[in-house]
Amino acid sequence: MDFLLTLTRADQVLIWPVPTIMESSWELPLLSWLELLSVPPLSMHLMPEEMLADQQKHRLGVSLRRHLELFRGPIRFSRSRSIGVSQKIGAVTSLISSLEYVVRLRRDKTRRYDEWYEARASYHGQPRPVRWIAEVFSDRRLSMGLQVSRAVLSVGALAMPSRHLRLQSSMVLASGILGVLTYPRNRYGSDGSDQATTITQILVGAAGVDTVPARQDALLWGVSLQSSLSYAVAGWAKLVGEQWRSGTALVNILRTRTYGHEASWNLVRRFPKTSKALSHFVLAFECLFPLVYVAPPSS
């Protein structure tokens, strides 16, 4: 059965017959839009400005309500939708990570080599195959190629239409594997977010490639538990530090070279009460994050 898709152009409404193959018109790929625009409209009439304004207000209201749903509780997603969204998020973070690495490596070749020279010693007690893999994939040129390949895979996964979930999943899974291979050289330069991204990409990539719902659910639960542990463990570990409990940790972090930002540092120094409140908010958010499992779902 066909339905009529309405496209608004200024004060005109053009109506075409379109096959009902997608849930919403915004998911139509570029090729479908081009094919659609090549079909003559069935009807055309002028839309009053008042009606056009009412439609715009209605769309804005619907958009605002959907965003407010985020604060009411977890939103129900289908299995494939959850996998696809998780893969897109992971692709964004892996793309940023790879681009940062490439820029650093090109800007300061000697420092990156010295980091691997120091990291190599940490693999002396590992089995011979592990040492061989770490040595081979930590070559500067090969490492650069792997990072560029990972960036390309991330861009491909972001640009992939949702209907090609398995192809997108293959790209994300390959990106996660490349993240594992590049880890030995970046062991002292990587962060917890890089490691979490690699784990997430491998899990959701495998879930998208698999076709058994039970295994897909198990892999998605793995991503969920990993995310909860990342926040909860970090929060409870911060409670040990006196600076986090006193609320001065944020000021000290913002003055460091790695995570610092001069304008933000000056701002939190001017408003110490706000800085203390933000520090305590971070503690509460991370320590209580596992409560998402008991939060009621939104209607």
Side-chain angles (χ1 to χ4, degrees), residues 268-288:
V268 295
R269 285 182 63 204
R270 288 181 56 192
F271 304 98
K273 292 184 178 180
T274 303
S275 173
K276 184 176 181 179
L278 289 174
S279 298
H280 290 165
F281 171 77
V282 171
L283 278 178
F285 175 82
E286 293 185 339
C287 292
L288 301 178

Side-chain angles (χ1 to χ4, degrees), residues 3-283:
F3 70 97
L4 297 180
L5 174 67
T6 303
L7 300 179
T8 302
R9 293 179 177 177
D11 59 345
Q12 294 181 337
V13 177
L14 308 181
I15 304 178
W16 284 268
V18 182
T20 54
I21 56 174
M22 295 190 177
E23 296 180 357
S24 57
S25 59
W26 63 268
E27 290 183 335
L28 285 171
L30 178 60
L31 181 60
S32 296
W33 281 112
L34 294 177
E35 293 175 351
L36 176 63
L37 295 177
S38 65
V39 179
L42 297 181
S43 62
M44 179 183 299
H45 64 274
L46 296 179
M47 172 180 285
E49 293 183 2
E50 295 80 3
M51 186 181 299
L52 180 60
D54 291 340
Q55 279 195 0
Q56 292 174 345
K57 291 180 181 179
H58 175 71
R59 291 172 182 172
L60 178 61
V62 171
S63 178
L64 289 175
R65 285 196 297 272
R66 288 177 178 175
H67 284 83
L68 289 175
E69 288 286 339
L70 297 174
F71 300 96
R72 296 180 54 189
I75 299 177
R76 296 183 182 274
F77 279 162
S78 64
R79 183 184 293 108
S80 60
R81 179 70 169 166
S82 299
I83 293 173
V85 171
S86 301
Q87 290 177 353
K88 297 287 188 184
I89 296 174
V92 171
T93 54
S94 64
L95 175 61
I96 295 174
S97 176
S98 294
L99 292 179
E100 286 180 344
Y101 175 85
V102 170
V103 171
R104 289 201 310 268
L105 188 59
R106 290 177 60 87
R107 182 180 57 191
D108 195 346
K109 300 177 182 178
T110 303
R111 185 174 66 86
R112 297 302 301 176
Y113 175 77
D114 289 341
E115 286 183 5
W116 166 238
Y117 182 79
E118 296 174 0
R120 180 188 288 125
S122 63
Y123 290 92
H124 286 169
Q126 299 295 327
R128 185 183 297 272
V130 175
R131 298 200 306 270
W132 180 84
I133 292 174
E135 190 74 34
V136 169
F137 287 99
S138 294
D139 176 77
R140 180 183 171 276
R141 293 183 179 180
L142 180 57
S143 184
M144 172 71 83
L146 293 177
Q147 293 289 355
V148 172
S149 300
R150 193 182 187 203
V152 172
L153 288 170
S154 299
V155 172
L158 289 171
M160 190 65 59
S162 58
R163 66 180 182 276
H164 297 307
L165 181 60
R166 295 200 69 182
L167 181 56
Q168 174 181 303
S169 302
S170 300
M171 292 181 176
V172 171
L173 180 59
S175 176
I177 294 173
L178 291 182
V180 174
L181 296 178
T182 57
Y183 175 75
R185 184 179 181 90
N186 304 322
R187 184 170 185 175
Y188 293 135
S190 61
D191 205 345
S193 60
D194 298 301
Q195 299 160 11
T197 298
T198 299
I199 295 173
T200 300
Q201 286 194 309
I202 291 177
L203 291 176
V204 296
V209 172
D210 204 337
T211 57
V212 180
R215 288 199 293 260
Q216 290 179 324
D217 291 342
L219 291 167
L220 287 175
W221 266 106
V223 175
S224 176
L225 294 174
Q226 172 63 38
S227 302
S228 298
L229 284 174
S230 297
Y231 283 115
V233 173
W236 288 102
K238 287 181 176 67
L239 284 177
V240 180
E242 189 275 333
Q243 292 183 347
W244 278 103
R245 297 196 306 271
S246 64
T248 60
L250 186 60
V251 179
N252 295 330
I253 290 173
L254 290 176
R255 65 179 296 182
T256 61
R257 182 176 181 179
T258 304
Y259 301 104
H261 188 271
E262 185 176 358
S264 301
W265 178 64
N266 290 327
L267 189 62
V268 295
R269 285 182 63 204
R270 288 181 56 192
F271 304 98
K273 292 184 178 180
T274 303
S275 173
K276 184 176 181 179
L278 289 174
S279 298
H280 290 165
F281 171 77
V282 171
L283 278 178

